[in-house]
Amino acid sequence: MVDAASVDAAVVDAAPELVVNTTAFHQVDQCEEDPATAFAVNATGARNVAAAAQPAGAALIHISTDYVFDGRKSTPYTEGDLPDPLNVYGTSKLAGEYLVRATCPRSFVVRTSGLYGPRPCRAKGGLNFPRLMLKLAAEKGELTVVTDEVVGPTYTPDLARQLVALAETEAYGVIHATGVGEVSWHDFAAETLRLAGLTDVPVHPATSATMVRKVKRPPYSILAHERLEAEGILTMRPWQEALAEYVGTLKAEG
């Protein structure tokens, strides 16, 4: 990503019709400590991919984030709302959005949030939020989770299906694609445990003010799906349905 020549070579070699850029430096605390790397990957790196896709004649799907917003709104953010990130991660991702759109007109900038799925993040020790909650529940017998951060959790297989549907259109520009509905991290954790049959594990409420946090996060980052709905291609499911499927796969794994 940060080596423009290698990105160019990879795209030329593949001769793709579509490039999907999922790369990001997304550890929020580390981004705050190392803004140079955050911008190198999330902004300059994104531009490098767009700059390679454009002359190759490829369309580009670039994955962005709900963290481009400050979370002070009380209703879902639309694609037309003005971004105002609170931290380095969000700012670097917003810079990447602008660079991608300026460099590759045939680009979809897809904002999503709260990703989890069958291939957990290597940078987070192979854990996503549901897996982490189940791990901590087993180790500690109780959880403490914030109630004042509200998200739209997104199951990665659902997002993948949505991207396939989107790629068959020419609805270039900013697109919001998340699990349908909204939930606090506290209630998401509680529902994860309920689905796993761990109803005896208490989930204590907390607020972001009482938790040890180095970096500000948006308290409300729900994304409206106006453009997907307008195109008639919204395939995202309610977060409850997706989470139930995912926890079911974990239980099947044993």
Side-chain angles (χ1 to χ4, degrees), residues 134-143 193 198 200-204:
L134 294 172
K135 179 176 183 290
L136 292 176
E139 292 175 353
K140 299 184 176 182
E142 61 180 355
L143 300 175
L193 266 56
L198 301 176
D200 58 331
V201 177
V203 185
H204 305 296

Side-chain angles (χ1 to χ4, degrees), residues 7-8 11 16 18-19 47-60 104 106:
V7 173
D8 286 341
V11 172
L18 175 69
V19 175
R47 188 209 67 84
N48 291 343
V49 175
Q54 172 63 14
L60 170 63
C104 183
R106 294 179 63 224

Side-chain angles (χ1 to χ4, degrees), residues 170-187:
E170 295 184 355
Y172 305 121
V174 176
I175 300 284
H176 289 174
T178 64
V180 175
E182 56 186 69
V183 64
S184 70
W185 285 120
H186 174 276
D187 291 350

Side-chain angles (χ1 to χ4, degrees), residues 21 61-69 76-85 89-90 93-98 101 108-115 152 154 159 162-163 166 173-179 221-225 227-228 236:
N21 178 25
I61 293 177
H62 174 70
I63 305 300
S64 191
T65 176
D66 57 327
Y67 273 41
V68 300
F69 295 113
Y77 285 92
T78 71
E79 288 91 347
D81 281 326
L82 186 66
D84 186 17
Y89 170 65
K93 289 294 289 182
L94 181 60
E97 288 189 7
Y98 291 147
R101 295 181 67 190
F108 306 92
V109 172
V110 180
R111 294 174 181 153
T112 190
S113 67
L115 292 173
T154 305
L159 180 59
Q162 184 66 78
L163 296 183
L166 182 61
V174 176
I175 300 284
H176 289 174
T178 64
S221 58
I222 303 303
L223 304 181
H225 305 116
R227 294 204 59 212
L228 290 176
M236 303 301 294

Side-chain angles (χ1 to χ4, degrees), residues 14-249:
E17 294 182 4
L18 175 69
V19 175
V20 181
N21 178 25
T22 62
T23 303
F25 182 32
H26 57 80
Q27 294 92 330
V28 177
D29 290 351
Q30 291 182 33
C31 285
E32 209 72 17
E33 296 168 358
D34 187 3
T37 299
F39 276 87
V41 175
N42 297 335
T44 305
R47 188 209 67 84
N48 291 343
V49 175
Q54 172 63 14
L60 170 63
I61 293 177
H62 174 70
I63 305 300
S64 191
T65 176
D66 57 327
Y67 273 41
V68 300
F69 295 113
D70 61 15
R72 295 188 176 94
K73 197 178 177 186
S74 58
T75 56
Y77 285 92
T78 71
E79 288 91 347
D81 281 326
L82 186 66
D84 186 17
L86 295 175
N87 51 49
V88 169
Y89 170 65
T91 303
S92 65
K93 289 294 289 182
L94 181 60
E97 288 189 7
Y98 291 147
L99 289 167
V100 163
R101 295 181 67 190
T103 305
C104 183
R106 294 179 63 224
S107 59
F108 306 92
V109 172
V110 180
R111 294 174 181 153
T112 190
S113 67
L115 292 173
Y116 68 95
R119 295 189 178 275
C121 178
R122 288 175 296 176
K124 296 182 179 180
L127 295 172
N128 53 40
F129 186 82
R131 278 185 178 272
L132 177 60
M133 293 302 99
L134 294 172
K135 179 176 183 290
L136 292 176
E139 292 175 353
K140 299 184 176 182
E142 61 180 355
L143 300 175
T144 301
V145 188
V146 293
T147 60
D148 58 350
E149 291 180 10
V150 178
V151 297
T154 305
Y155 187 38
T156 51
D158 283 3
L159 180 59
R161 284 188 286 269
Q162 184 66 78
L163 296 183
V164 170
L166 182 61
E168 295 174 351
T169 75
E170 295 184 355
Y172 305 121
V174 176
I175 300 284
H176 289 174
T178 64
V180 175
E182 56 186 69
V183 64
S184 70
W185 285 120
H186 174 276
D187 291 350
F188 190 54
E191 180 65 2
T192 300
L193 266 56
R194 186 191 72 80
L195 290 167
L198 301 176
T199 54
D200 58 331
V201 177
V203 185
H204 305 296
T207 66
S208 54
T210 61
M211 300 290 282
V212 178
R213 291 284 186 85
K214 297 179 181 179
V215 182
K216 287 184 178 180
R217 291 162 168 80
Y220 182 89
S221 58
I222 303 303
L223 304 181
H225 305 116
E226 286 191 352
R227 294 204 59 212
L228 290 176
E229 290 172 344
E231 292 289 325
I233 58 168
L234 177 63
T235 64
M236 303 301 294
R237 292 183 291 173
W239 68 264
Q240 299 95 327
E241 182 181 334
L243 180 63
E245 179 179 303
Y246 178 60
V247 174
T249 66

